[in-house]
């Protein structure tokens, strides 16, 4: 009896001590802790008590991030949640919901979330409308493209009578655009017409779409641009038959999957598409100092990420292409159009397939706009001899005011 | 207390001030009464007042119960093992049950309107949350104390099986109850007074102070006075001494008022408490039940089941039943404790919801 008790106590003590010892031996944790404490003591922006409180929260978070066997603990928690059968998990400030398909989505359980989202979307219509007013004075057309979210508007697959507000907000946002005379393309309708399912078209463990469906959707957009704005394109450029495909099976947990681990989330497979025909790009990114000339593969593919097999928690299946904040000249383009492409991460996943459609493309990401010194959206449009501005956002962005601060 | 128009001073109070202030008072009173010797070492005084396991969330350790241990405690391997086990159980109560039920309670209480079922669900969730949160911290404190060779008195004894409000308060936050009993109630004469009027006065003072101890808000004050009224009625009517076959009704009566009390305790203002009570009886509610009821109940069903189950003394009963199988029982206990600890650590690392109720006091 005493031996069993002693063994239990030793194992319990070790279960606490080993991860903690690994935490304290981690220099990143030590650096974060010292930095947080120093900034709390020296900052004049807040009272010392508030500073120490913030510092304590930062150290607490750093301890969780850097503790030994961090990912194993996450996996165990996910296993516990899976065994409990729950389809709603709270992790810090984030709430995850498992859909009928097994895919994960982030969800706000705040009863006021739907109203706040609708109010923000209304403001964003006004921002976009102001941009249109300016573009009208310059004679430049504006197109808003709405990429679908992970929740199917007809069958979201949510448990516990949870309601999908994202599509409702997006609908009211599009109604607002309609009233403001802003041209838009709702890719959700295209998906419905084509019969593309969200289960096939989206990652299980991440909010983003699969590259295959991103390209198929983009092909549709280029067709629309041709029909509506006369920017002629070659459909074969986006035909999947003309692409090289590299498959990566079960390589990654996306942003939602990493929160809850491999036993709760379904690890995702992905594909890297590159054109199987001649391409020639000149890509300039002033923010990071790039100036590259070469093929699609040489200028826009991020091999360091796609070849990293180090683990489910670190592999990146979203940033397989370099395209953020770049100006790309496509010398083999099917037209002479200069397009300013304002996009979110869904547009980012299209990578080089966007500049493949135009002679010159200026890619703008509002999240890094403040880092683009001496440039504003207006100055970019003014200095680019712009023929068309495309704002390409998925439905989760229509209530994000910072994405519309043009 | 916003309608008394006094200037508010925003003083940052240290956490756990109510606990260590009472301990410091206990030292002075017990030394004065000769129930513990005066400490001549400032280290020993500091040890008593600021002993970290129970510094911020109790239990309130009266000096007389620990005076001897300050100098003559004995750390043992046996105590280390038991203390560690108790700590893991406390941590699990807090992290696995209280934190998850807190989400239900907070959603129900924070919403501007709710259905009848959601209101009741929120109230029950808070009833369980506050028990597992506070008793979990007490278990951790008692366990850590044992690791260091201290033996703190118990703070909870399955309060939700009580058959009267008086019994509930003998089982809930025992260290606070005994503190007021020994340092306020008894010195005023307790229940051995000549007139009922004095008994009423004594109880009134105790419950007024109990309310105020929890915070300078009308909600706490009313909560304390609610218990004063219930306890005085029970005492004057001899409620506990009356024999009855309707014992289940006594449970229902007790839990009804306990749950109602926690609504008052949890609500941010008296007005919101009244609105919450109203929705519990269908006034101003969005209906008998709504989508929110399912959203709060279904994902947390397991926590409700475990929460209710373990608020009954099934573990001691289980221990008794397994006493004939000592070795297998010890192995099972070891495995369960290890699993609980790993789950606790996982839950903390994942950053799950983690409110701390008794930090405020």
């Amino acid at each position: 009896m005493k031996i069993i008790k002693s063994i239990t106590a030793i194992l319990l003590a070790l279960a606490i001590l080993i991860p903690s010892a690994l935490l304290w031996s981690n220099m990143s944790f030590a650096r974060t802790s010292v930095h947080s404490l120093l900034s709390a003591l020296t900052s004049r922006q807040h009272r010392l008590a508030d500073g120490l409180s913030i510092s304590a929260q930062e150290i607490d978070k750093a301890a969780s991030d850097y503790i030994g066997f961090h990912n194993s603990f996450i996996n165990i928690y996910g296993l516990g949640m899976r065994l409990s059968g729950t389809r709603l998990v709270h992790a810090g400030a984030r709430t995850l919901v498992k859909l009928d398909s097994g895919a994960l989505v982030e969800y706000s359980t705040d009863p006021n979330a739907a109203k706040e989202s609708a109010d923000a979307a209304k403001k964003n219509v006004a921002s976009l409308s102001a941009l249109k007013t300016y573009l009208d004075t310059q004679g430049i057309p504006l197109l808003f493209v709405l990429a679908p979210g992970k929740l199917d508007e007809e069958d979201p697959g949510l448990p516990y009578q949870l309601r999908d507000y994202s599509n409702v907000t997006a609908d009211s946002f599009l109604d607002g655009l309609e009233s403001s005379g802003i041209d838009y393309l709702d890719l959700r309708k295209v998906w419905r017409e084509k019969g593309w399912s969200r289960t096939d078209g989206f990652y299980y463990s991440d909010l983003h779409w699969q590259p295959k469906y991103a390209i198929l959707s983009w092909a549709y957009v280029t067709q629309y641009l041709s029909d509506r704005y006369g920017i002629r394109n070659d459909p074969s450029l986006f035909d999947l038959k003309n692409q090289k495909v590299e498959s990566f099976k079960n390589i990654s947990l996306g942003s939602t999957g990493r929160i809850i681990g491999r036993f709760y989330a379904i690890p995702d497979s992905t594909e890297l598409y590159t054109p199987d025909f001649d391409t020639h790009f000149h890509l300039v990114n002033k923010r990071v100092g790039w100036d590259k000339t070469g093929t699609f593969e040489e200028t826009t593919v991020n091999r360091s990420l796609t070849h990293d097999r180090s683990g489910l928690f670190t592999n990146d299946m979203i940033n397989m292409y370099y395209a953020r904040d770049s100006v790309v000249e496509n010398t083999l383009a099917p037209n002479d159009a200069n397009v300013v492409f304002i996009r979110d991460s869904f547009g980012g996943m299209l990578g080089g397939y966007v500049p493949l459609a135009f002679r010159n493309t200026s890619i703008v990401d509002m999240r890094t706009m403040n880092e683009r010194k001496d440039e504003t959206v207006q100055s970019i449009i003014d200095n680019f001899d712009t023929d068309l501005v495309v704002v390409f956002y998925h439905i989760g962005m229509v209530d994000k005011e910072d994405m519309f601060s043009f | 207390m916003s309608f008394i128009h006094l200037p508010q001073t925003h003083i940052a109070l240290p956490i756990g001030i109510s606990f260590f202030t009472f301990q410091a008072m206990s030292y002075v009173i017990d030394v004065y009464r000769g129930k513990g010797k005066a400490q001549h070492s400032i280290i020993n005084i500091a040890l008593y007042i600021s002993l970290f396991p129970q510094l911020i969330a109790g239990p309130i350790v009266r000096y007389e119960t620990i005076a001897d241990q300050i100098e003559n405690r004995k750390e043992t391997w046996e105590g280390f093992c038991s203390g560690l086990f108790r700590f893991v159980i406390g941590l699990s109560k807090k992290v696995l049950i209280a934190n998850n039920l807190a989400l239900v309670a907070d959603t129900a209480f924070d919403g501007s309107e709710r259905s009848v079922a959601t209101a009741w669900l929120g109230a029950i969730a808070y009833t369980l949350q506050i028990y597992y949160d506070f008793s979990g911290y007490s278990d951790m404190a008692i366990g850590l104390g044992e690791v260091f060779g201290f033996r703190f008195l118990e703070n909870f004894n399955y309060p939700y099986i009580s058959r009267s409000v008086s019994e509930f308060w003998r089982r809930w936050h025992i260290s606070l109850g005994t503190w007021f009993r020994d340092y306020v109630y008894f010195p005023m004469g307790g229940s051995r007074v000549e007139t009922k009027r004095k008994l009423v006065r004594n109880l009134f003072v105790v419950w007024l102070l109990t309310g105020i101890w929890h915070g300078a808000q009308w909600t706490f004050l009313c909560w304390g006075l609610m218990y004063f009224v219930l306890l005085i009625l029970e005492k004057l009517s001899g409620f506990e001494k009356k024999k009855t076959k309707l014992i289940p009704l006594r449970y229902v009566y007790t839990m009804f008022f306990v749950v109602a009390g926690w609504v008052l305790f949890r609500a941010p203002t008296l007005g919101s408490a009244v609105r919450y009570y109203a929705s519990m009886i269908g006034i101003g509610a969005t209906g008998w039940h709504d989508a929110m009821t399912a959203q709060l109940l279904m994902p947390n069903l397991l926590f409700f089941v475990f929460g209710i189950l373990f608020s009954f003394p099934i573990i001691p009963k289980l221990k008794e039943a397994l006493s004939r199988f000592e070795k297998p029982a010890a192995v099972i206990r070891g495995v369960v404790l290890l699993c609980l600890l790993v789950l606790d650590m996982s839950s903390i690392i994942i950053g799950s919801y983690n409110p701390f109720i008794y930090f405020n006091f």
Side-chain angles (χ1 to χ4, degrees):
Chain A
M1 264 296 289
K2 267 193 175 173
I3 292 174
I4 297 169
K5 197 173 181 182
S6 297
I7 291 170
T8 305
I10 290 166
L11 289 174
L12 289 173
L14 288 176
I16 297 169
L17 290 175
I18 294 174
S20 307
L22 290 171
L23 168 70
W24 286 105
S25 66
N26 187 315
M27 287 310 291
S28 303
F29 174 65
R31 267 197 301 273
T32 308
S33 305
V34 171
H35 180 261
S36 300
L37 277 174
L38 282 177
S39 64
L41 294 171
T42 56
S43 172
R44 291 179 183 178
Q45 288 177 323
H46 40 60
R47 293 186 308 147
L48 181 62
D50 296 335
L52 287 173
S53 170
I54 295 165
S55 166
Q57 285 168 23
E58 282 174 10
I59 294 171
D60 192 36
K61 189 182 174 306
S64 294
D65 289 347
Y66 296 124
I67 196 163
F69 309 107
H70 174 264
N71 294 344
S72 302
F73 279 118
I74 288 179
N75 283 331
I76 288 167
Y77 188 80
L79 179 64
M81 289 293 106
R82 185 170 172 176
L83 292 175
S84 78
T86 187
R87 287 176 60 185
L88 193 144
V89 178
H90 298 278
R94 302 166 85 173
T95 301
L96 304 181
V97 172
K98 189 177 258 194
L99 304 180
D100 294 345
S101 62
L104 295 177
V105 288
E106 275 200 63
Y107 190 89
S108 174
T109 49
D110 179 354
N112 304 317
K115 191 184 173 305
E116 284 167 10
S117 171
D119 291 346
K122 204 177 272 181
K123 281 186 194 163
N124 292 339
V125 170
S127 301
L128 206 55
S129 190
L131 177 65
K132 184 184 184 308
T133 305
Y134 173 72
L135 292 175
D136 284 346
T137 64
Q138 306 298 309
I140 302 168
L142 167 69
L143 171 69
F144 180 84
V145 180
L146 182 76
K150 209 165 171 178
L151 298 177
D152 188 311
E153 53 277 23
E154 287 175 354
D155 180 18
L158 288 164
Y160 311 130
Q161 299 179 39
L162 294 171
R163 287 178 63 192
D164 164 29
Y165 296 110
S166 59
N167 281 297
V168 177
T169 303
D171 287 341
S172 69
F173 176 81
L174 294 182
D175 288 345
L177 297 190
E178 182 99 46
S179 313
S180 306
I182 297 169
D183 188 21
Y184 67 85
L185 178 59
D186 183 358
L187 287 176
R188 293 176 303 170
K189 282 186 184 167
V190 179
W191 277 57
R192 218 174 302 143
E193 283 162 19
K194 303 272 184 191
W196 299 336
S197 80
R198 302 296 211 279
T199 310
D200 295 335
F202 280 75
Y203 289 125
Y204 283 98
S205 64
D206 195 273
L207 69 101
H208 291 94
W209 51 9
Q210 285 276 3
K212 175 182 170 182
Y213 288 86
I215 295 168
L216 287 171
S217 300
W218 181 241
Y220 189 89
V221 176
T222 59
Q223 183 61 48
Y224 183 83
L225 294 177
S226 176
D227 297 343
R228 171 92 177 167
Y229 297 100
I231 299 173
R232 286 178 34 211
N233 241 302
D234 177 0
S236 69
L237 295 176
F238 310 103
D239 189 333
L240 294 181
K241 286 181 204 149
N242 297 326
Q243 317 300 325
K244 284 182 279 187
V245 189
E246 292 169 62
S247 298
F248 303 92
K249 294 285 177 203
N250 303 323
I251 65 147
S252 179
L253 288 171
S255 59
T256 42
R258 281 172 206 188
I259 296 170
I260 193 67
R262 65 181 303 171
F263 298 123
Y264 193 86
I266 299 172
D268 274 297
S269 302
T270 192
E271 290 165 327
L272 174 66
Y273 287 82
T274 48
D276 197 10
F277 47 83
D278 288 343
T279 51
H280 189 265
F281 285 173
H282 176 211
L283 181 147
V284 176
N285 184 330
K286 286 185 199 165
R287 193 168 68 86
V288 293
W290 284 343
D291 190 333
K292 301 186 202 178
T293 303
T295 62
F296 179 108
E297 164 92 34
E298 288 162 347
T299 52
T300 64
V301 176
N302 185 355
R303 283 282 167 195
S304 63
L305 293 173
T306 52
H307 283 176
D308 180 3
R309 301 298 185 106
S310 59
L312 283 173
F313 281 84
T314 49
N315 285 335
D316 188 340
M317 55 190 180
I318 309 305
N319 298 297
M320 293 190 290
Y321 301 106
Y322 299 113
R324 185 181 277 193
D325 304 328
S326 304
V327 174
V328 187
E329 183 189 6
N330 173 8
T331 51
L332 301 176
N335 55 56
D336 288 325
N338 296 337
V339 174
V340 172
F341 186 74
I342 303 171
R343 54 77 159 178
D344 62 4
S345 54
F346 273 56
M349 286 192 66
L350 288 163
Y353 283 94
V354 174
L356 201 58
F358 313 111
R359 173 74 191 194
N360 289 296
T361 313
S362 180
I363 300 167
V364 177
D365 189 327
M366 295 308 297
R367 291 167 296 184
T368 51
M369 203 58 220
N370 59 351
E371 294 170 37
R372 297 178 72 163
K373 288 164 192 149
D374 308 324
E375 278 188 314
T376 62
V377 172
Q378 192 177 318
S379 72
I380 290 168
I381 292 168
D382 289 346
N383 299 329
F384 200 59
D385 193 16
T386 307
D387 296 311
L388 172 72
V389 174
V390 177
V391 179
F392 191 104
Y393 287 165
H394 81 286
I395 64 166
M397 288 294 157
V398 300
D399 60 356
K400 304 287 180 290
E401 291 181 48
D402 51 340
M403 295 300 281
F404 289 83
S405 310
F406 304 119
Chain B
M1 296 191 179
S2 56
F3 58 83
I4 295 177
H5 297 291
L6 295 173
Q8 286 190 358
T9 50
H10 296 283
I11 303 167
L13 294 172
I15 52 174
I17 187 168
S18 310
F19 290 99
F20 60 74
T21 305
F22 269 35
Q23 290 206 178
M25 288 169 73
S26 169
Y27 171 75
V28 176
I29 298 167
D30 284 354
V31 169
Y32 172 76
R33 287 177 176 174
K35 288 187 173 178
K37 71 167 197 173
Q39 291 292 341
H40 298 289
S41 158
I42 196 161
I43 300 290
N44 283 347
I45 286 287
L47 173 69
Y48 167 62
I49 295 174
S50 64
L51 186 58
F52 80 91
Q54 34 71 244
L55 176 67
I56 51 175
I60 301 162
V61 179
R62 280 174 300 131
Y63 183 63
E64 68 165 293
T65 67
I66 204 175
D68 185 49
Q69 295 175 45
I70 288 175
E71 286 170 3
N72 301 314
R73 69 184 174 279
K74 210 174 188 181
E75 299 89 353
T76 62
W77 177 246
E78 181 73 17
F80 176 83
C81 296
S82 306
L84 198 56
F85 296 171
R86 184 74 183 263
F87 177 83
V88 172
I89 288 165
L91 186 65
S92 305
K93 279 180 169 181
K94 161 69 183 157
V95 171
L96 299 182
I97 300 182
N99 284 359
N100 283 295
L101 291 173
L103 283 158
V104 180
D106 288 356
T107 309
F109 277 88
D110 292 348
S112 52
E113 51 184 19
R114 57 195 79 77
S115 66
V116 175
T118 300
W120 277 98
L121 201 64
I124 292 167
Y126 187 69
T127 300
L128 293 170
Q129 179 205 344
I130 194 166
Y131 170 58
Y132 284 99
D133 189 291
F134 196 14
S135 73
Y137 273 109
S138 292
D139 285 338
M140 285 189 267
I142 292 167
L144 280 174
E146 214 173 337
V147 166
F148 296 116
F150 289 100
R151 292 191 68 82
F152 301 147
L153 295 183
E154 292 298 330
N155 208 19
F156 290 87
N157 183 20
Y158 298 101
Y160 294 156
I161 62 165
S162 304
R163 284 174 285 186
S164 68
V165 172
S166 308
E167 185 185 353
F168 171 78
W169 275 103
R170 288 195 296 272
R171 291 173 176 273
W172 178 273
H173 203 169
I174 298 166
S175 64
L176 181 70
T178 49
W179 196 98
F180 276 117
R181 185 196 64 195
D182 292 349
Y183 300 134
V184 181
Y185 189 60
F186 283 173
M188 291 174 78
S191 55
R192 292 176 186 176
V193 282
E194 296 146 7
T195 62
K196 283 181 181 173
R197 203 171 147 187
K198 282 188 178 171
L199 174 68
V200 172
R201 180 204 64 189
N202 293 351
L203 277 173
F204 177 78
V205 170
V206 166
W207 287 99
L208 184 74
L209 291 176
T210 303
I212 291 171
W213 180 84
H214 286 86
Q217 282 183 43
W218 288 110
T219 47
F220 293 130
L221 202 71
C222 291
W223 174 78
L225 293 178
M226 181 196 92
Y227 277 110
F228 157 70
V229 171
L230 291 169
L231 288 168
I232 205 78
L233 288 175
E234 284 190 1
K235 275 210 185 306
L236 294 179
S237 66
F239 181 79
E240 286 198 282
K241 289 172 190 160
K242 281 181 187 168
K243 288 189 177 168
T244 176
K245 287 178 183 172
L246 301 170
I247 286 176
L249 271 184
R250 290 194 165 201
Y251 286 118
V252 173
Y253 147 77
T254 307
M255 284 315 295
F256 175 81
F257 282 106
V258 168
V259 172
W262 290 136
V263 170
L264 196 53
F265 193 89
R266 170 63 179 76
T269 61
L270 270 185
S272 53
V274 171
R275 282 191 294 279
Y276 200 95
Y277 284 132
S279 48
M280 286 172 89
I281 55 171
I283 300 169
T286 55
W288 288 107
H289 63 91
D290 55 13
M292 184 63 80
T293 315
Q295 288 161 25
L296 293 178
L297 179 63
M298 297 314 290
N300 299 298
L301 195 57
L302 212 58
F303 303 116
F304 274 103
V305 170
F306 282 132
I308 292 168
L309 205 62
F310 292 124
S311 65
F312 290 90
I314 57 163
I315 297 289
K317 290 259 161 58
L318 207 63
K319 271 185 188 168
E320 202 180 303
L322 292 173
S323 58
R324 283 185 299 148
F325 314 100
E326 271 192 4
K327 271 191 183 172
V331 172
I332 291 168
R333 180 181 63 181
V335 172
V336 169
L337 285 171
L338 268 170
C339 290
L340 285 176
L341 178 64
V342 172
L343 270 177
D344 294 340
M345 291 176 73
S346 305
S347 183
I348 293 166
I349 287 164
I350 206 166
S352 54
Y353 195 58
N354 190 16
F356 185 6
I357 301 172
Y358 269 76
F359 253 131
N360 300 325
F361 305 134

